[in-house]
Amino acid sequence: GALVPFFCFNVFGSVKRHNKIFMGDCGSQVIGFILGMLCIWYSMRHPITPDTPEALNNRLVLAFALLMIPCLDVVRVMWGRIRRGRNPFLPDLTHIHHKFLAMGMSQRSALLFILMIDAAFALINLELVNILDINLLLALNILIWVAMNLWLSHVVHRRRALGLAPTEFTLPSSEGYPDQPKVNPNNTQSHAGKEPKG
């Protein structure tokens, strides 16, 4: 219930009108913990018996189907930072929503598109959970995710080459909001020692 007014102010609020609310690390981590706990609780709530419907035999797959996007995105982002020799806990612009913003989408369009992808993953898992082996289904999810991210990265790299998108390591202070200036550490110049004009 507390997330409903937050969602309204976060999605439909405006920084210029001073009625926009942003979520910090503590709030997102608490929500992630609650979602993970609820998924585990749902998966282990009732024991599987011969009378259990076939669709509920794989509750773990059904429970985590909606969390597929954030889980896979965290693994991809952390691995990418480690592979580049960066601190995996330092922020950058490599999350999937940053890629959508770099493609020219607005915040709301990126949110809507991510929700649509998440729903598609959930529907695919719900349809295939009783047809494919669980391990094969997980491999299919990863394959689809990797292919989608390779395509997104290709599009974003082309836009960055044309100067239409910020670099990956632009300081994420503005997070792509149109009413806040983007800060690039590579373009930051020191004004120390300059003589005042006039």
Side-chain angles (χ1 to χ4, degrees), residues 1-11 23 27-28 30-32 34-35:
L3 291 178
V4 174
F6 166 78
F7 177 82
C8 295
F9 281 102
N10 179 260
V11 176
M23 181 175 294
S28 60
V30 169
I31 292 175
I34 293 175
L35 289 176

Side-chain angles (χ1 to χ4, degrees), residues 2-24 27 107 177 180:
L3 291 178
V4 174
F6 166 78
F7 177 82
C8 295
F9 281 102
N10 179 260
V11 176
F12 304 106
S14 172
V15 175
K16 294 180 179 180
R17 296 196 302 266
H18 304 288
N19 62 352
K20 193 174 186 70
I21 300 177
F22 298 94
M23 181 175 294
Q107 289 283 336
Y177 291 107
Q180 297 183 12

Side-chain angles (χ1 to χ4, degrees), residues 19-169:
N19 62 352
K20 193 174 186 70
I21 300 177
F22 298 94
M23 181 175 294
D25 291 339
C26 291
S28 60
Q29 290 172 5
V30 169
I31 292 175
F33 173 78
I34 293 175
L35 289 176
M37 182 184 65
L38 290 176
C39 287
I40 296 174
W41 173 78
Y42 170 76
S43 303
M44 306 178 65
R45 182 180 179 185
H46 299 295
I48 296 176
T49 64
D51 298 329
T52 302
E54 186 178 2
L56 297 180
N57 287 337
N58 297 312
R59 289 194 185 98
L60 188 64
V61 176
L62 301 178
F64 281 95
L66 292 174
L67 300 181
M68 193 68 65
I69 295 292
C71 289
L72 293 178
D73 192 51
V74 166
V75 173
R76 179 189 62 81
V77 170
M78 298 284 280
W79 169 248
R81 293 171 182 171
I82 294 174
R83 184 169 54 86
R84 289 188 294 266
R86 292 175 54 85
N87 188 331
F89 300 103
L90 289 179
D92 54 27
L93 298 183
T94 56
H95 283 287
I96 186 172
H97 66 279
H98 289 131
K99 290 189 176 183
F100 288 132
L101 293 176
M103 291 173 62
M105 291 187 180
S106 65
Q107 289 283 336
R108 294 179 185 176
S109 298
L111 171 63
L112 181 61
F113 206 69
I114 291 174
L115 292 177
M116 292 172 59
I117 296 174
D118 202 21
F121 266 94
L123 291 176
I124 291 174
N125 283 273
L126 290 175
E127 291 295 329
L128 299 180
V129 67
N130 296 320
I131 301 176
L132 299 178
D133 178 75
I134 294 181
N135 296 320
L136 184 58
L137 183 58
L138 176 60
L140 179 62
N141 283 317
I142 295 176
L143 180 63
I144 295 175
W145 176 256
V146 170
M148 183 184 67
N149 273 277
L150 288 176
W151 178 77
L152 287 175
S153 297
H154 174 70
V155 174
V156 171
H157 286 322
R158 289 187 60 184
R159 289 181 58 85
R160 284 174 178 154
L162 297 174
L164 300 176
T167 59
E168 287 187 359
F169 306 117

